[in-house]
């Protein structure tokens, strides 16, 4: 994807529509029916199946079954921990890539995207080969009594790897748009590093950061492939919610499986709502901002925001404008 | 306006909740002195082990006063063996096929001669491959020959990835060579069977779902236990057909020496596996549609397990490793017989 195309402001059309009314209606209904078949019906059917054996079965599956309870809890441990690691790493990476000129910067940017390119299953396998009992670090770790693979640390590691690019990818365009001037000014006025970060950088990047956190969290909670490989499938110990969904399905408990799936779907819907709120929020800030500041930021390194171009674009424009 | 302080607080909250929760995981809610055992098994035994674990935990407590917590892990047998080698801390390995358990020996996790440590060559139960057909058996499927007929749609997992699939292949093969046919005839027969296969899933449960839930196929070739379980889950829709001869599935159990030595759980793990050979253990095994080896228990469940000619792997190959090499390795007989393109073109 060309960064220029991704960067163009939405809603800048060419004027009045030229198509005839029936053509527009046809296109709209076509788009709608595709949306209904691909999105609405499957999502609705998740809830339909979930409640197919009634409310009691639904709640019993979710709350009484100790393995399912543990899976929820494990997901609540693994996802936030991964998100947090990625926040720290993402800010550091975005900072390094946008504030410093150094050899191999492009290479680092490429590496940042590697987790998107590598299949999650391969990623999981990679960690098994590194930290497994026969792996590179495995025997040493085992002699220290440290287990990584087939336990929670392995799950966190795999999830963190898979979600690695999200935060950094959101922040890079934002930080590029802002430029280092304000930070330099703060330093000149005697701020120390932490003060500068807290008072200048963080307020500037907060929307992009939050957006990255939300995407990262959504992906972390739903991660299946990498986690499947490193989990070891121990019921009530290393099964996260997506793994639990599959396990229940294999145990012929379709309603139970969809009940757990509905929790994940619900979380996805919440994510969607928060995301829309953030977008609306940034759009409003954009309108309030003086027009001449909202122009396109200079851009010298390639920044292909992988999955969320419009949002990061508007976030970038906003933050640039809203200072 | 959104404050950066709030953001910091949010992130700190996120961190502390993560740390707090993982702290809880470490403590758990286990009773003091509880011994934890991990049983790493193959796919269709979830229900069996769930039941056995519950009963054994209670019996063990009554007899020795030691509280046990037994956890289970299930996936394809081969990948489970690999996981144990990679460090999955299995106290006992209850895998589907002999080569999978023997792979643990080859990697130094299980001692030499593991087969002889428990009765009946470490086989507390056996099973076999049967047919599941739609109610009333509309295609009149009676024996292996019917699977090769034109117009019969067969569902079975892939022999490349599934133990269940391998046993179906060997059963079909044996139906020719053990009835006086030559290997060339067997190849031709098995080729025709696999030409009829509509969906080659990667595992047994996948095939069951294809046949029972998606409604594809006239006959599902699967393990006896899996067939009975499907009958139980979907009453009145299917029936089981026993062929005249089939493959004898011998899933061995073993204590994983390197793990129990490290964890200090050997005594408990050994008692756990010995329980399988008790009357009570055998009854639970029969209840879950696996064939008990205790003659009395087997006699009590004769109706459920009709007698048929069952042959072990040694009648069609030197041993499992040989069978693997000859039939299922890349470029082996299965690869030569099964060409997905040819199948699609033929249909």
């Amino acid at each position: 994807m060309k960064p220029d195309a991704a960067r163009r402001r939405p809603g800048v059309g060419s004027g009045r529509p030229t198509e005839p009314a029936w053509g527009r209606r046809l296109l709209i209904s076509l788009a709608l029916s595709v949306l209904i078949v691909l999105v609405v019906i499957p999502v609705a059917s998740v809830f339909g199946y979930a409640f197919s054996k009634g409310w009691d079965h639904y709640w019993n599956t979710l709350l009484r079954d100790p393995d399912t309870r543990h899976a929820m809890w494990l997901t609540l441990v693994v996802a936030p921990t991964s998100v947090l690691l990625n926040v720290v790493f993402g800010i550091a990476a975005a900072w390094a890539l946008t504030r410093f000129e150094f050899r191999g910067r492009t290479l680092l940017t490429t590496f940042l995207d590697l987790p998107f390119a590598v299949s999650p299953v391969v990623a999981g396998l990679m960690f098994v080969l590194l930290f497994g009992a026969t792996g590179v670090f495995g025997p040493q770790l085992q002699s220290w009594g440290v287990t990584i693979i087939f336990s929670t640390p392995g799950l966190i590691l795999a999830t963190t790897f898979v979600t690695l690019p999200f935060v950094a990818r959101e922040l890079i365009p934002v930080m590029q748009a802002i430029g280092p001037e304000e930070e330099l000014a703060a330093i000149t006025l005697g701020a120390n590093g932490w003060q500068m970060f807290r008072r200048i950088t963080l307020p500037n990047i907060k929307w992009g950061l939050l957006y990255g956190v939300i995407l990262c969290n959504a992906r972390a909670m739903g991660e299946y492939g990498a986690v499947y490989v490193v989990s070891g499938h121990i019921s009530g110990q290393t099964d996260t919610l997506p793994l639990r969904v599959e396990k229940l399905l294999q145990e012929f408990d379709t309603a139970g499986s969809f009940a757990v799936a509905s929790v994940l779907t619900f979380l996805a819907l919440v994510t969607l709502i928060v995301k829309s709120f953030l977008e609306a929020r940034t759009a409003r800030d954009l309108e309030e901002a003086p027009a001449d500041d909202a122009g396109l930021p200079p851009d010298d390194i390639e920044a292909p925001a992988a999955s969320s171009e419009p949002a990061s674009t508007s976030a970038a424009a906003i933050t640039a404008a809203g200072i | 306006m959104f404050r950066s302080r709030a953001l910091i607080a949010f992130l700190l909250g996120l961190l502390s909740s993560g740390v707090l929760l993982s702290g809880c995981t470490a403590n758990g809610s286990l009773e003091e002195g509880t011994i934890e055992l991990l049983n790493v098994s193959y796919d269709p035994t979830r229900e069996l082990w769930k039941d056995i674990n519950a009963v054994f935990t209670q019996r063990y407590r009554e007899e020795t006063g030691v509280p046990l917590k037994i956890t289970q892990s299930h996936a394809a047998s081969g990948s489970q063996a690999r996981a144990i080698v990679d460090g999955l801390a299995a106290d006992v390995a209850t895998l589907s096929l002999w080569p999978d358990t023997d792979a643990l020996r080859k990697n130094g996790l299980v001692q030499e001669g593991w087969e002889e440590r428990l009765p009946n060559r470490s086989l507390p139960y056996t099973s076999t491959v049967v047919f599941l057909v739609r109610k009333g058996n509309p295609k009149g499927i009676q024996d292996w020959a019917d699977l090769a007929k034109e117009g019969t749609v067969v569902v079975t997992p892939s022999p490349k990835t599934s133990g269940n699939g391998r046993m179906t292949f060997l059963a079909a093969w044996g139906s020719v060579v053990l009835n006086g046919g030559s290997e060339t005839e067997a190849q031709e027969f098995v080729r025709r069977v696999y030409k009829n296969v509509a969906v080659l899933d990667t595992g047994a449960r996948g095939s069951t779902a294809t046949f029972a839930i998606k409604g594809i196929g006239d006959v599902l070739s699967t393990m006896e236990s899996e067939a009975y379980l499907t009958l139980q889950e979907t009453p009145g829709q299917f029936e089981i057909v026993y062929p005249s001869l089939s493959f004898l599935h011998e899933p061995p159990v073993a204590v994983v020496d390197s793990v129990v030595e490290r964890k200090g759980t050997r005594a408990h793990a050994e008692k756990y596996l010995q329980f399988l050979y008790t009357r009570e253990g055998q009854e639970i095994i029969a209840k879950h549609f696996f064939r008990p080896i205790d003659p009395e228990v087997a006699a009590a469940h004769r109706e459920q397990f009709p007698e048929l000619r069952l042959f072990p792997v040694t009648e069609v190959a030197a041993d499992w490793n040989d069978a693997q090499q000859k039939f299922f390795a890349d470029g082996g007989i299965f690869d030569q017989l099964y060409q997905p393109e040819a199948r699609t073109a033929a249909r």
Side-chain angles (χ1 to χ4, degrees):
Chain A
M1 187 168 300
K2 286 264 177 60
D4 293 358
R7 203 134 290 225
R8 201 155 290 148
R9 297 250 310 274
V12 188
S14 55
R16 297 163 61 89
T18 50
E19 301 85 357
W22 64 267
R24 262 177 293 153
R25 275 192 216 115
L26 185 76
L27 283 175
I28 289 171
S29 53
L30 209 69
L32 259 180
S33 50
V34 167
L35 202 69
I36 286 170
V37 169
L38 286 183
V39 179
V40 178
I41 292 176
V43 170
S45 72
V46 166
F47 289 97
Y49 273 117
F51 291 110
S52 64
K53 286 196 181 166
W55 279 92
D56 287 349
H57 187 268
Y58 183 81
W59 290 117
N60 280 346
T61 312
L62 288 186
L63 302 176
R64 296 274 159 76
D65 186 323
D67 288 351
T68 304
R69 265 204 325 251
H70 187 276
M72 280 187 209
W73 186 40
L74 188 61
T75 293
L76 287 179
V77 172
V78 170
T81 314
S82 303
V83 169
L84 198 88
L85 289 172
N86 277 330
V87 164
V88 174
F89 169 80
I91 292 176
W95 185 278
L97 286 170
T98 57
R99 293 290 179 265
F100 300 98
E101 285 288 340
F102 55 93
R103 224 176 240 278
R105 201 174 64 149
T106 324
L107 193 71
L108 188 62
T109 319
T110 315
F111 271 131
L112 205 59
D113 281 335
L114 201 65
F116 276 153
V118 174
S119 153
V121 176
V122 176
L125 208 59
M126 201 171 71
F127 285 115
V128 172
L129 291 177
L130 275 183
F131 298 108
T134 53
V136 181
F137 307 119
Q140 187 57 49
L141 288 169
Q142 202 168 46
S143 72
W144 290 336
V146 179
T147 45
I148 290 188
I149 298 302
F150 309 123
S151 66
T152 316
L155 297 174
I156 293 173
L157 206 62
T159 310
T160 308
F161 177 84
V162 170
T163 55
L164 196 66
F166 281 102
V167 174
R169 270 281 156 240
E170 289 304 319
L171 289 185
I172 288 171
V174 176
M175 291 182 74
Q176 241 163 19
I178 298 163
E181 292 80 11
E182 291 186 24
E183 285 156 8
L184 290 173
I187 297 287
T188 321
L189 294 174
N192 63 30
W194 173 246
Q195 281 172 328
M196 179 208 69
F197 176 72
R198 251 211 55 199
R199 303 230 176 121
I200 308 294
T201 314
L202 200 57
N204 280 344
I205 62 170
K206 65 196 170 198
W207 293 113
L209 181 60
L210 211 66
Y211 194 80
V213 163
I214 282 168
L215 286 181
C216 185
N217 188 53
R219 183 76 169 77
M221 285 196 172
E223 173 50 29
Y224 180 83
V227 162
Y228 180 89
V229 179
V230 299
S231 90
H233 318 289
I234 309 170
S235 298
Q237 267 185 25
T238 59
D239 279 342
T240 59
L241 277 179
L243 296 178
R244 186 73 194 144
V245 170
E246 194 239 3
K247 201 163 261 189
L248 283 170
L249 196 66
Q250 293 222 324
E251 287 169 7
F252 294 106
D253 187 357
T254 312
S257 168
F258 276 94
V260 180
S262 76
V263 173
L264 280 170
T265 313
F266 177 73
L267 289 173
L269 291 176
V270 169
T271 306
L272 209 67
I273 291 166
V274 176
K275 184 175 144 283
S276 321
F277 165 78
L278 284 181
E279 274 169 1
R281 179 82 205 212
T282 48
R284 203 176 64 202
D285 284 4
L286 186 68
E287 278 165 21
E288 287 165 1
D292 53 344
D293 281 354
L296 297 183
D299 187 8
D300 53 352
I301 72 163
E302 202 194 357
S307 61
S308 52
E309 291 82 0
S312 55
T313 314
S314 47
I318 290 318
T319 340
I323 309 160
Chain B
M1 192 63 190
F2 194 83
R3 299 271 170 80
S4 55
R5 205 171 295 154
L7 188 65
I8 291 177
F10 169 70
L11 292 176
L12 282 179
L14 208 67
L15 173 68
S16 51
S17 66
V19 169
L20 212 77
L21 284 169
S22 32
C24 295
T25 330
N27 297 330
S29 54
L30 287 181
E31 192 182 336
E32 188 98 358
T34 300
I35 305 289
E36 289 193 65
L37 294 181
L38 173 60
N39 178 355
V40 172
S41 192
Y42 58 107
D43 256 327
T45 55
R46 295 159 204 264
E47 295 79 9
L48 168 71
W49 288 112
K50 213 176 229 175
D51 231 7
I52 288 197
N53 293 346
V55 175
F56 176 71
T57 308
Q58 202 190 337
R59 291 285 169 280
Y60 201 63
R61 176 118 204 206
E62 284 162 10
E63 277 170 33
T64 63
V66 178
L68 280 182
K69 182 172 184 260
I70 305 174
T71 41
Q72 302 166 231
S73 166
H74 297 270
S77 183
S79 65
Q80 292 289 70
R82 176 71 212 241
I84 296 174
V85 171
D86 279 332
L88 183 58
D91 296 272
V92 299
T94 57
L95 303 173
S96 169
L97 300 175
W98 183 86
D100 294 333
T101 312
D102 203 53
L104 303 179
R105 176 191 63 80
K106 283 183 190 154
N107 282 283
L109 297 159
V110 171
Q111 285 161 12
E112 298 286 337
W114 59 269
E115 260 185 309
E116 304 309 324
R117 292 194 299 204
L118 286 162
N120 195 35
R121 290 184 296 125
S122 295
L123 304 169
Y125 64 91
T126 62
S127 189
T128 186
V129 176
V130 302
F131 302 147
L132 195 67
V133 298
R134 302 196 181 277
K135 189 78 190 166
N137 197 0
K139 294 268 171 136
I141 287 153
Q142 299 301 334
D143 210 342
W144 289 102
D146 298 316
L147 265 58
K149 277 187 185 153
E150 195 110 347
T152 308
V153 180
V154 180
V155 175
T156 184
S158 166
K160 295 292 259 186
T161 53
S162 160
N164 190 325
R166 257 165 256 173
M167 286 182 269
T168 292
F169 180 98
L170 292 176
W173 180 270
S175 77
V176 176
V177 295
L178 297 180
N179 283 325
S182 70
E183 291 222 341
T184 324
E185 284 166 333
Q187 289 202 13
E188 176 55 22
F189 175 76
V190 173
R191 192 187 61 76
R192 292 206 332 261
V193 170
Y194 279 89
K195 207 172 125 186
N196 283 340
V197 173
V199 183
L200 211 55
D201 287 289
T202 52
R205 282 283 153 97
S207 286
T208 308
T210 299
F211 183 77
I213 297 170
K214 293 184 195 152
I216 294 172
D218 304 310
V219 53
L220 169 72
S221 169
T222 191
M223 302 309 299
E224 191 175 34
S225 58
E226 193 75 3
Y228 271 110
L229 207 62
T230 313
L231 282 195
Q232 230 177 24
E233 294 293 325
T234 53
Q237 287 187 37
F238 307 105
E239 51 190 76
I240 293 177
V241 171
Y242 279 90
S244 62
L245 112 169
S246 192
F247 187 78
L248 177 64
H249 178 211
E250 299 181 311
V253 298
V255 168
V256 182
D257 296 291
S258 70
V259 174
V260 294
E261 290 301 333
R262 197 173 72 234
K263 286 173 66 182
T265 48
R266 177 179 288 283
H268 312 291
E270 282 174 352
K271 276 273 170 352
Y272 177 47
L273 290 186
Q274 281 156 14
F275 174 75
L276 299 169
Y277 293 89
T278 63
R279 182 100 200 198
E280 197 172 16
Q282 291 281 305
E283 280 292 344
I284 299 173
I285 283 169
K287 197 180 118 199
H288 287 276
F289 313 112
F290 292 96
R291 296 187 167 220
I293 53 143
D294 183 305
E296 282 177 38
V297 179
H301 293 271
R302 185 156 293 149
E303 268 182 35
Q304 195 180 306
F305 303 115
E307 285 198 20
L308 68 157
R309 186 174 160 206
L310 294 176
F311 66 92
V313 69
T314 46
E315 290 196 35
V316 288
D319 54 28
W320 262 114
N321 289 338
D322 180 45
Q324 180 68 31
Q325 212 53 41
K326 179 176 170 188
F327 296 110
F328 310 120
D330 286 333
I333 289 179
F334 178 73
D335 277 350
Q336 293 165 27
L337 297 178
Y338 182 73
Q339 286 143 345
E341 299 85 6
R343 181 184 60 89
T344 324
R347 288 177 72 219

